[in-house]
Amino acid sequence: MSAFIDSIKEKARKDRKTIVLPETTDRRTLIAAAHIQEEGIADLILVGDEDKIMEGAKWLELDLKRVAVINPATTPRLDEYVNVLYECRKAKGMTKEKAREILLNDYLTFGVVMVKNNDADGMVAGACHATADTLRPALQILRTAPGVKLVSGFFLLVVPDCPYGENGTFIFADSGLNQDPTSEELAAIADTSGRSFQALVGAKPFVAMLSHSTKGSAKHALVDKVVNAVKIAHEKYPSLTVDGEMQADAALVPEVAKSKAPGSPVAGRANVLIFPNLDAGNNGYKLVQRLAKAEAYGPMLQGIAKPVNDLSRGCSWEDIVGVVALTAVQAQLSL
């Protein structure tokens, strides 16, 4: 694990938050829970049948005896949670009977309701569920944070032996959620990603709006979208250091930046990369993760009222530990 994630763990330990892990039938979740408990990163709540969880822990030779387990079928708080879900969704046709059925069978929704009810500070899921399964209940129940119009997803990447970014640390956005954001949405993603970088990494964000064009080198509607996004970002978020449109090499490499984007406040020093669409963002982070052997944490979600974060279904237990630590720090900072 990198020095960066070690620093995140240390922040998490200083003000321990309670994080829900609902995917307790997945061995990676149980292994991660044991390490989180051992390292004191967060207080955990595992959702599921305690006997089955402990049986799995025994088979994996893990000690989970000090981790809280809540079984939706036996908890005395089920009626309370049914009312929370009903109140949140009654305008959409939710009944108490339907709410009870959902909470007994959908552990992800159960976890989100616990966060809504302030019985937990955040939730991490997605090791064995699609992003939509994690995001849907979070949006429906927690809603967006005040003043935020768009929820977006980012990956925090830590690239070993990398001279670029913030000592090899980057945010890539949107890499997990919005498929083809408009210019206005790209600008909003740039703003929230910059704030996430500042809060989690503790360094000034330099935000590059990526394109296949740098400063007018190509003409196309796709380029226009990014050019307009930069204009909107400058108007709406004047404190944000953002520039574009630019290609990735101009964004990252000082020598290339001098020739392709001279005078840019971002080119050659970017640490937050905003991709023009989800095809680029999702494949971009995966290429860096696999080819550069980078640590990749996410997709982290930004803009939700309380932290709920997704995992790649290809994640390792170490990834889960890292995302739990990041989620705990988000909870501290109310990101």
Side-chain angles (χ1 to χ4, degrees):
M1 296 292 246
S2 65
F4 167 74
I5 207 66
D6 286 340
S7 71
I8 290 292
K9 289 179 180 179
E10 189 57 37
K11 288 179 184 177
R13 290 188 194 99
K14 289 180 179 177
D15 180 15
R16 278 171 61 155
K17 297 299 181 182
T18 300
I19 307 299
V20 180
L21 296 178
E23 295 175 311
T24 50
T25 59
D26 191 296
R27 63 192 299 273
R28 294 168 295 176
T29 297
L30 300 184
I31 296 170
H35 284 271
I36 292 162
Q37 171 188 262
E38 183 179 342
E39 295 185 53
I41 296 167
D43 296 322
L44 295 177
I45 297 174
L46 302 181
V47 181
D49 184 301
E50 185 169 11
D51 290 341
K52 290 181 180 178
I53 290 170
M54 292 308 165
E55 182 181 334
K58 183 178 179 181
W59 184 76
L60 293 167
E61 299 182 347
L62 303 172
D63 179 10
L64 293 178
K65 292 177 183 175
R66 290 179 288 123
V67 176
V69 178
I70 292 185
N71 186 343
T74 59
T75 178
R77 308 197 65 174
L78 180 60
D79 288 342
E80 182 180 347
Y81 293 156
V82 166
N83 284 329
V84 171
L85 181 55
Y86 167 70
E87 289 296 331
C88 287
R89 300 293 295 161
K90 63 183 180 182
K92 298 294 184 179
M94 180 66 68
T95 64
K96 290 188 176 181
E97 292 75 16
K98 183 64 175 177
R100 183 178 301 274
E101 179 185 349
I102 290 170
L103 290 172
L104 288 173
N105 292 285
D106 181 353
Y107 288 0
L108 273 67
T109 298
F110 187 92
V112 171
V113 168
M114 291 192 71
V115 175
K116 175 71 173 180
N117 207 47
N118 296 317
D119 293 326
D121 300 300
M123 186 182 85
V124 173
C128 51
H129 288 85
T131 293
D133 295 326
T134 303
L135 183 63
R136 188 182 305 107
L139 287 175
Q140 290 177 344
I141 297 165
L142 297 174
R143 315 281 170 81
T144 55
V148 174
K149 294 183 178 179
L150 181 72
V151 174
S152 57
F154 68 89
F155 271 83
L156 198 149
L157 282 96
V158 183
V159 185
D161 304 317
C162 177
Y164 308 123
E166 182 63 28
N167 299 315
T169 301
F170 302 88
I171 274 180
F172 284 22
D174 187 320
S175 304
L177 185 57
N178 294 287
Q179 291 182 316
D180 188 14
T182 64
S183 296
E184 291 80 4
E185 289 169 340
L186 280 175
I189 292 167
D191 177 56
T192 51
S193 298
R195 287 191 276 121
S196 290
F197 188 89
Q198 176 75 55
L200 294 173
V201 182
K204 178 180 173 63
F206 293 92
V207 183
M209 307 288 271
L210 299 185
S211 171
H212 68 274
S213 168
T214 300
K215 298 296 183 178
S217 65
K219 303 295 182 185
H220 193 276
L222 293 176
V223 177
D224 295 340
K225 181 176 84 165
V226 178
V227 170
N228 291 333
V230 175
K231 290 179 182 177
I232 293 166
H234 286 158
E235 292 168 3
K236 288 192 173 182
Y237 315 108
S239 63
L240 183 67
T241 303
V242 56
D243 198 17
E245 89 287 9
M246 66 182 71
Q247 294 154 296
D249 57 351
L252 299 173
V253 184
E255 294 79 13
V256 177
K258 288 176 185 176
S259 63
K260 287 189 174 183
S264 169
V266 170
R269 62 196 306 190
N271 48 31
V272 178
L273 304 183
I274 306 301
F275 291 83
N277 58 40
L278 190 57
D279 286 337
N282 191 265
N283 285 294
Y285 102 78
K286 284 183 165 69
L287 285 168
V288 173
Q289 179 187 26
R290 300 301 178 182
L291 299 182
K293 297 180 170 54
E295 295 174 25
Y297 300 99
M300 308 286 290
L301 300 178
Q302 53 191 1
I304 298 178
K306 293 185 179 182
V308 171
N309 284 314
D310 193 19
L311 296 160
S312 168
R313 279 173 285 180
C315 70
S316 65
W317 68 260
E318 292 95 339
D319 295 332
I320 299 174
V321 173
V323 173
V324 167
L326 287 161
T327 304
V329 173
Q330 281 184 312
Q332 292 171 356
L333 300 167
S334 299
L335 285 180

